[in-house]
Amino acid sequence: MGDMVSEETEETRTSTSTTLPAARGARAATGDPMRTTDTSLSAGRPPGAPTRAWRTRLVVVGIVLAALNLRPAITSLGALLEEVRVDLGMSGSVAGLLTSVPPLCFAVFGLAAPRLARRFGPGAVVCAGMAAIGAGLLIRPWAGGTAGFLAASALALMGIAVSNVLMPAIVKRWFPDRVGSMTGLYSMALALGTATAAAATVPVTEALGGDWRLGLAVWAALAAAAVLPWLALTRERGEATAARTEAATGGAAGGLRMTRSRTAWALAVFFGLQATAAYITMGWMAQIFRDAGVSAGTAGLLLAVTMAMGVPLAFVIPRVATRLPHQGPIVIALGLCGLVGYAGLYVAPAGGAWAWALLLGVSNCAFPLALTMVGMRARTGAGVAQLSAFAQSTGYLISIPGPLLVGVLYQHSGGWGLPLALMAALMVPQMAVGVLAGRDRTVEDEATR
């Protein structure tokens, strides 16, 4: 934690915002490195009054618990999709729709997050989002029929969508000089939640008597635990007022037009292409290995290795990124890992399986890098919220066709040559827009012109 406190991002070194000098002055005056005086969160206190250390630590706990809940609703269902489909009498097309619903919901519901945050405060919205996740996970196994299952899933995904968007903004507001460390912690927790739900859902279901309903519903308990710290934080008065004040003074609420910012567009396309690669990997990589003669168990283990790479690297990459004036070199390095991995899957999918799984796991860590750049490309918490909503909503819309197109190419070509060529081809524009998004500038310089 001490190293996290000392980290200073490139973005905050060059920003003209007064938030960081105020925070530094407060730490120097109090001698408490965990305290900050982000004025957007100090409504109701005298100017310069430090935020209490326990409150800052509670925010850290809240961020970690929230991040753990942002993927189990999806990966737990993937582990039991066949049982759910058979028991509810779903057709193959409806079951396929279930796998396409998450990015669509993230795109649609994520757009509402900044407006909700200005009205109620970002902490209150995340608290409600965690409650929605818990309610959706608890209701959907017993919703009765396919329509009810889809509606309850959408409720959980709505909570995930608004929390997805607001997490970078909350990190920016509470930890303006530790964006890299806190984004890394958040990304690592997200990857851990993803991998844990994928690996543990089936064993937990078997331990509960083999009932898939219990195996899916058990993850509601994790969401309920995440409600508690955010509920405690939002009980303090003034958060919504502070959010509106910051939006007004920072100009992000009405003055920023993200469609006019080249940086915002570059981030959105980069986010969409990296999400496309991630969804293709999660959906098809195990099948590529199985078609090459790898056993089903080993193929699943290889996919787990790819996903697990995100846990340590999601913490390291954001910390490195915030120390660089330009994140382009990291974008290029991750992209090259992906290109080598795809080439290896084409040339020797079984012979070098472990190497390709590791390389693609590294390449998929473009996700925490994208989140870090969102936090660095705007000056205020409100600006980050608006940029995050634009980049993630646009990006998830871009990602929807990718996995479906890979399936079509695989079906019509009868092999993996064309799908792998598509994956490699998409990596080239991903690197190009990532380099543009990594330039040292903020959307306020472009979107207010």
Side-chain angles (χ1 to χ4, degrees), residues 166-244:
L166 293 179
M167 279 293 107
I170 287 172
V171 167
K172 180 75 169 184
R173 292 180 68 192
W174 276 91
F175 308 98
D177 56 347
R178 283 171 276 159
V179 171
S181 292
M182 292 308 302
T183 301
L185 183 64
Y186 153 70
S187 301
M188 184 173 65
L190 192 153
L192 183 61
T194 303
T196 300
T201 296
V202 171
V204 168
T205 301
E206 293 173 351
L208 294 174
D211 188 344
W212 65 265
R213 290 177 173 83
L214 292 175
L216 291 182
V218 71
W219 296 102
L222 183 61
V227 170
L228 300 178
W230 293 108
L231 188 62
L233 288 164
T234 55
R235 286 175 65 89
E236 296 196 19
R237 300 171 60 182
E239 193 210 21
T241 301
R244 288 193 293 270

Side-chain angles (χ1 to χ4, degrees), residues 139-155:
I139 293 170
R140 74 175 179 179
W142 292 280
T146 300
F149 191 93
L150 284 169
S153 295
L155 176 62

Side-chain angles (χ1 to χ4, degrees), residues 426-444:
L426 290 176
M427 190 60 66
V428 176
Q430 177 179 320
M431 289 190 287
V433 294
V435 169
L436 292 177
R439 294 175 300 172
D440 185 14
R441 60 193 63 196
T442 62
V443 293
E444 285 88 350

Side-chain angles (χ1 to χ4, degrees), residues 210-286:
D211 188 344
W212 65 265
R213 290 177 173 83
L214 292 175
L216 291 182
V218 71
W219 296 102
L222 183 61
V227 170
L228 300 178
W230 293 108
L231 188 62
L233 288 164
T234 55
R235 286 175 65 89
E236 296 196 19
R237 300 171 60 182
E239 193 210 21
T241 301
R244 288 193 293 270
T245 299
E246 181 193 14
T249 58
L256 291 183
R257 299 173 63 180
M258 290 297 164
T259 55
R260 299 178 63 178
S261 169
R262 287 174 293 179
T263 299
W265 276 112
L267 261 176
V269 177
F270 178 70
F271 195 96
L273 291 175
Q274 66 80 28
T276 299
Y279 281 119
I280 290 173
T281 299
M282 288 187 287
W284 292 108
M285 195 178 79

Side-chain angles (χ1 to χ4, degrees), residues 283-306:
W284 292 108
M285 195 178 79
Q287 189 63 46
I288 294 173
F289 285 128
R290 292 185 68 176
D291 287 353
V294 177
S295 68
T298 303
L301 184 58
L302 287 164
L303 179 58
V305 167
T306 299

Side-chain angles (χ1 to χ4, degrees), residues 60 63-71 164 167-168 171 178-195 271 274 307-319 321 364-375 392:
V60 175
I63 288 172
V64 170
L65 286 176
L68 287 171
N69 279 281
L70 294 183
R71 293 299 180 270
N164 269 339
M167 279 293 107
V171 167
R178 283 171 276 159
V179 171
S181 292
M182 292 308 302
T183 301
L185 183 64
Y186 153 70
S187 301
M188 184 173 65
L190 192 153
L192 183 61
T194 303
F271 195 96
Q274 66 80 28
M307 296 171 64
M309 288 295 293
V311 177
L313 290 179
F315 186 69
V316 173
I317 288 176
R319 291 166 61 85
N364 282 346
C365 287
F367 174 69
L369 177 61
L371 291 179
T372 305
M373 290 196 289
V374 167
Q392 293 199 42

